[in-house]
Structures are given as C-alpha cells and as structure tokens.
C-alpha cells in the first residue's frame, strides 16, 4: 500500500480500519429516488444485484455486514450513509436535508443501538447529510450543501471536537449534491478529489490525488481496511490509483448513479 511518513505517528487509522458495516437493500421504490437531472430510472433488480456485490466486497474486505431489509416507503433508504456518522463506539444520528428522507433515521436507530454504546441525536434543528462529511483520523471536512445547512454543520462540528477532530467547513459548489460526491479518503493523509473540489483549497495539509478529468464521478471511493472500492467505468482512475499503490476493487454502481448515489452512500462503516 502507499505509505506516508505521518502514518507512523497516527496509531488509530480510525478513518479506514473497520470491522463492521451496515447496509440496507434497495427497495423497488428506488426507481423514484431523488435525483437532480432527468435521466432514466434505475432498474431495481439490477440495483439489487449490484448491491449484493457491494456487500460481498465489504465482507471480503473484513466487514461483518448487517444487511437491513428494504423500506419501500423510503426510495432513497439504500443510501444509509446519510443517516449517521459513526465514530468508534459512538453513532451520531443526523438529520437528512431532503423531506422525503426525514423518516430514515428513525428506521435505522434500533440497529445502531445494537452496535454502538452511545447513540446520540444531532442537537438542534439543523440539517446534515452524512454524504457531506469526510473523516480522516484527525480532521472532519463538513460540506455546506443543498442538504446540509450551517446549523447542522456547526452542531456536528461541536460534537466532533471532543472526539479529537479538527472540523473544517467547506462550501460545496452548488452543482455538487454532497461534498463526498466528488472526494473520498484513500488513507489518513491522502484524499482522492476532483479538480473542482481540490481547487477550493480545503484539503490543506493533506496529499491530494486528483481524479482524472472526465472521470469526476469516480471520486466517490471507499477505503475499507486494505482495499479501495472504485466504481466501474473509470480506467484512468483505476490505473492512477493502482500506480500509487492502492489495492483497487471495481464495483458496478450504474444504478445507484442514476439516483445520484455512489459507493460511500451505500454503507455505514465502523
Ligand atoms: N438519491 C440520493 C439522494 O438524493 O439523497
């Protein structure tokens, strides 16, 4: 794997050393999932197949996966990442910013209570989607976005400081749904990010590997233990990450992408 001198001073690697994950099977109603554009609906059966491959990849990477059943009343509920921020023995249940997703947190809470010692609600009345939060070992990048407002951002930042994170506020460009739509963690000091996001200057102090131009949708990666999940169809990104020493696992996310979802959105990792 790629190595960075500062890795040796950071014992935890809590940003990608995990043992567990929570996923939720896509419902048939995912064909009505939220999206910005007017593209085709996802095929629920194909989404189900791709999701099974995603869960299998998590298991192969070392995860014990809790697979929750589909929730037809919540078309976007496959994107569990938006409901919760997981840190050690603490789960912070957040407040997704899209009205059709408000009820998803209540649905995942009973499972969180079986896995985490502390399950706490985001204080206040702000909104925050988990897709707007990128955690390294010591830094929490929180994107202000169409889904995450300042009240939500500040409430999370306040909770994260005592947990050892330096919160960094990022103003996500208006045409990007979630902050992590265009970036992901490769290791505790390295971020894979689009040129557009990297040019904001928000990743100061981190090594940034820029997503090849034309492959911006590849930026939403997942690092789980020793492997990096990358969406299929981005050969330049695959070659670049392999050249940098990462063990890349390719997963087809064509159906999630039709409803603005990606690799990170489909699991909670802890
Ligand atoms: N379809 C994913 C979302 O908009 O939250």
């Amino acid at each position: 794997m790629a190595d960075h001198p500062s890795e040796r001073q950071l014992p935890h690697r809590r940003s990608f050393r995990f043992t567990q994950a929570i996923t939720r099977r896509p419902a048939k109603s995912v064909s009505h999932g939220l999206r910005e554009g007017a593209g085709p609906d996802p095929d629920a059966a194909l989404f189900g197949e791709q999701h099974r491959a995603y869960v299998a990849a998590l298991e192969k990477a070392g995860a014990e996966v809790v697979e929750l059943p589909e929730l037809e009343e919540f078309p976007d509920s496959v994107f569990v990442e938006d409901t919760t921020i997981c840190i050690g023995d603490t789960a912070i249940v957040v407040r997704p910013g899209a009205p059709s997703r408000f009820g998803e947190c209540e649905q995942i809470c009973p499972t969180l209570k079986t896995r985490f010692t502390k399950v706490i609600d985001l204080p206040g009345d702000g909104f925050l989607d988990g897709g707007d939060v990128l955690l390294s070992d010591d830094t929490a990048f929180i994107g202000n976005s169409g889904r995450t407002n300042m009240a939500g951002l500040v409430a999370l930042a306040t909770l994260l400081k005592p947990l050892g994170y330096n919160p960094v506020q990022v103003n996500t460009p208006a045409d990007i749904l979630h902050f992590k739509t265009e970036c992901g963690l490769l290791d505790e000091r390295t971020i894979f990010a689009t040129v557009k996001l990297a040019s904001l200057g928000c990743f100061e102090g981190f090594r940034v590997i820029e997503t090849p131009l034309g492959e911006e949708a590849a930026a939403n990666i997942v690092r789980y233990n020793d492997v990096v999940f990358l969406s299929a169809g981005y050969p330049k990104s695959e070659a670049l990450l392999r050249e940098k020493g990462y063990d890349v696992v390719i997963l087809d996310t064509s159906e999630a992408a039709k409803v603005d979802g990606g690799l990170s959105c489909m699991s909670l990792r802890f």
Side-chain angles (χ1 to χ4, degrees), residues 6 14-15 61 69 121 134 151 174 196 221 243 250:
S6 59
R14 60 178 173 173
S15 51
D121 291 329
L134 179 72
K196 183 189 270 186
I221 52 159
E243 179 202 309
I250 303 293

PDB file of all heavy atoms in Angstrom, residues 6 14-15 61 69 121 134 151 174 196 221 243 250:
ATOM      1  N   SER A   6       3.710  10.336   7.891  1.00  0.00           N
ATOM      2  CA  SER A   6       2.919  10.652   9.081  1.00  0.00           C
ATOM      3  C   SER A   6       2.031   9.485   9.515  1.00  0.00           C
ATOM      4  O   SER A   6       1.530   9.474  10.620  1.00  0.00           O
ATOM      5  CB  SER A   6       2.060  11.890   8.832  1.00  0.00           C
ATOM      6  OG  SER A   6       1.217  11.674   7.745  1.00  0.00           O
ATOM      7  N   ARG A  14      -8.292   5.236  12.350  1.00  0.00           N
ATOM      8  CA  ARG A  14      -9.718   5.005  12.588  1.00  0.00           C
ATOM      9  C   ARG A  14     -10.561   5.397  11.388  1.00  0.00           C
ATOM     10  O   ARG A  14     -11.756   5.109  11.351  1.00  0.00           O
ATOM     11  CB  ARG A  14     -10.178   5.770  13.831  1.00  0.00           C
ATOM     12  CG  ARG A  14      -9.999   7.293  13.741  1.00  0.00           C
ATOM     13  CD  ARG A  14     -10.529   7.948  15.005  1.00  0.00           C
ATOM     14  NE  ARG A  14     -10.228   9.375  15.052  1.00  0.00           N
ATOM     15  CZ  ARG A  14     -10.695  10.192  15.969  1.00  0.00           C
ATOM     16  NH1 ARG A  14     -11.464   9.733  16.930  1.00  0.00           N
ATOM     17  NH2 ARG A  14     -10.379  11.471  15.957  1.00  0.00           N
ATOM     18  N   SER A  15      -9.941   6.076  10.437  1.00  0.00           N
ATOM     19  CA  SER A  15     -10.702   6.515   9.267  1.00  0.00           C
ATOM     20  C   SER A  15     -10.909   5.412   8.243  1.00  0.00           C
ATOM     21  O   SER A  15     -11.712   5.575   7.329  1.00  0.00           O
ATOM     22  CB  SER A  15      -9.986   7.694   8.608  1.00  0.00           C
ATOM     23  OG  SER A  15      -8.619   7.387   8.385  1.00  0.00           O
ATOM     24  N   ALA A  61     -13.490  -7.585   2.385  1.00  0.00           N
ATOM     25  CA  ALA A  61     -12.529  -6.617   2.943  1.00  0.00           C
ATOM     26  C   ALA A  61     -12.429  -6.722   4.465  1.00  0.00           C
ATOM     27  O   ALA A  61     -11.657  -5.987   5.085  1.00  0.00           O
ATOM     28  CB  ALA A  61     -12.939  -5.204   2.540  1.00  0.00           C
ATOM     29  N   PRO A  69     -33.401  -4.819   5.820  1.00  0.00           N
ATOM     30  CA  PRO A  69     -34.356  -5.047   4.735  1.00  0.00           C
ATOM     31  C   PRO A  69     -34.753  -3.750   4.038  1.00  0.00           C
ATOM     32  O   PRO A  69     -34.636  -2.660   4.606  1.00  0.00           O
ATOM     33  CB  PRO A  69     -35.560  -5.666   5.456  1.00  0.00           C
ATOM     34  CG  PRO A  69     -35.439  -5.217   6.860  1.00  0.00           C
ATOM     35  CD  PRO A  69     -33.979  -5.018   7.150  1.00  0.00           C
ATOM     36  N   ASP A 121     -28.432  11.948  19.101  1.00  0.00           N
ATOM     37  CA  ASP A 121     -29.032  12.716  18.009  1.00  0.00           C
ATOM     38  C   ASP A 121     -28.256  14.001  17.794  1.00  0.00           C
ATOM     39  O   ASP A 121     -27.774  14.621  18.754  1.00  0.00           O
ATOM     40  CB  ASP A 121     -30.484  13.077  18.355  1.00  0.00           C
ATOM     41  CG  ASP A 121     -31.380  11.848  18.352  1.00  0.00           C
ATOM     42  OD1 ASP A 121     -31.104  10.923  17.572  1.00  0.00           O
ATOM     43  OD2 ASP A 121     -32.346  11.821  19.148  1.00  0.00           O
ATOM     44  N   LEU A 134     -16.582  14.020   5.479  1.00  0.00           N
ATOM     45  CA  LEU A 134     -15.417  13.174   5.181  1.00  0.00           C
ATOM     46  C   LEU A 134     -14.503  13.194   6.393  1.00  0.00           C
ATOM     47  O   LEU A 134     -14.012  14.260   6.795  1.00  0.00           O
ATOM     48  CB  LEU A 134     -14.665  13.712   3.955  1.00  0.00           C
ATOM     49  CG  LEU A 134     -13.401  12.923   3.569  1.00  0.00           C
ATOM     50  CD1 LEU A 134     -13.769  11.566   2.970  1.00  0.00           C
ATOM     51  CD2 LEU A 134     -12.550  13.699   2.573  1.00  0.00           C
ATOM     52  N   ALA A 151     -26.521  25.375  10.494  1.00  0.00           N
ATOM     53  CA  ALA A 151     -26.899  24.904  11.838  1.00  0.00           C
ATOM     54  C   ALA A 151     -26.502  23.441  12.027  1.00  0.00           C
ATOM     55  O   ALA A 151     -25.969  23.056  13.085  1.00  0.00           O
ATOM     56  CB  ALA A 151     -28.400  25.085  12.049  1.00  0.00           C
ATOM     57  N   ALA A 174     -22.390  24.669  -5.730  1.00  0.00           N
ATOM     58  CA  ALA A 174     -23.844  24.437  -5.808  1.00  0.00           C
ATOM     59  C   ALA A 174     -24.237  23.294  -6.743  1.00  0.00           C
ATOM     60  O   ALA A 174     -25.275  22.662  -6.549  1.00  0.00           O
ATOM     61  CB  ALA A 174     -24.530  25.732  -6.255  1.00  0.00           C
ATOM     62  N   LYS A 196     -12.155  20.285  -9.361  1.00  0.00           N
ATOM     63  CA  LYS A 196     -13.028  21.361  -8.886  1.00  0.00           C
ATOM     64  C   LYS A 196     -13.019  21.466  -7.352  1.00  0.00           C
ATOM     65  O   LYS A 196     -12.880  22.553  -6.798  1.00  0.00           O
ATOM     66  CB  LYS A 196     -14.464  21.117  -9.372  1.00  0.00           C
ATOM     67  CG  LYS A 196     -15.412  22.216  -8.978  1.00  0.00           C
ATOM     68  CD  LYS A 196     -16.845  21.867  -9.266  1.00  0.00           C
ATOM     69  CE  LYS A 196     -17.256  22.297 -10.643  1.00  0.00           C
ATOM     70  NZ  LYS A 196     -18.686  22.102 -10.888  1.00  0.00           N
ATOM     71  N   ILE A 221     -15.012   7.299  -3.707  1.00  0.00           N
ATOM     72  CA  ILE A 221     -14.437   5.978  -3.412  1.00  0.00           C
ATOM     73  C   ILE A 221     -14.738   5.596  -1.964  1.00  0.00           C
ATOM     74  O   ILE A 221     -15.196   6.421  -1.180  1.00  0.00           O
ATOM     75  CB  ILE A 221     -12.907   6.007  -3.596  1.00  0.00           C
ATOM     76  CG1 ILE A 221     -12.326   7.175  -2.782  1.00  0.00           C
ATOM     77  CG2 ILE A 221     -12.530   6.098  -5.064  1.00  0.00           C
ATOM     78  CD1 ILE A 221     -10.879   7.037  -2.455  1.00  0.00           C
ATOM     79  N   GLU A 243      -1.268   2.598  -9.736  1.00  0.00           N
ATOM     80  CA  GLU A 243       0.118   3.089  -9.845  1.00  0.00           C
ATOM     81  C   GLU A 243       0.583   3.684  -8.509  1.00  0.00           C
ATOM     82  O   GLU A 243       1.753   3.576  -8.141  1.00  0.00           O
ATOM     83  CB  GLU A 243       0.141   4.142 -10.951  1.00  0.00           C
ATOM     84  CG  GLU A 243       1.472   4.805 -11.235  1.00  0.00           C
ATOM     85  CD  GLU A 243       1.245   6.151 -11.925  1.00  0.00           C
ATOM     86  OE1 GLU A 243       0.499   6.203 -12.931  1.00  0.00           O
ATOM     87  OE2 GLU A 243       1.788   7.147 -11.411  1.00  0.00           O
ATOM     88  N   ILE A 250     -13.075  -3.038  -8.125  1.00  0.00           N
ATOM     89  CA  ILE A 250     -14.016  -2.355  -9.017  1.00  0.00           C
ATOM     90  C   ILE A 250     -15.432  -2.883  -8.785  1.00  0.00           C
ATOM     91  O   ILE A 250     -15.669  -4.095  -8.784  1.00  0.00           O
ATOM     92  CB  ILE A 250     -13.618  -2.598 -10.493  1.00  0.00           C
ATOM     93  CG1 ILE A 250     -12.184  -2.133 -10.745  1.00  0.00           C
ATOM     94  CG2 ILE A 250     -14.600  -1.912 -11.442  1.00  0.00           C
ATOM     95  CD1 ILE A 250     -11.963  -0.651 -10.651  1.00  0.00           C
TER      96      ILE A 250
END
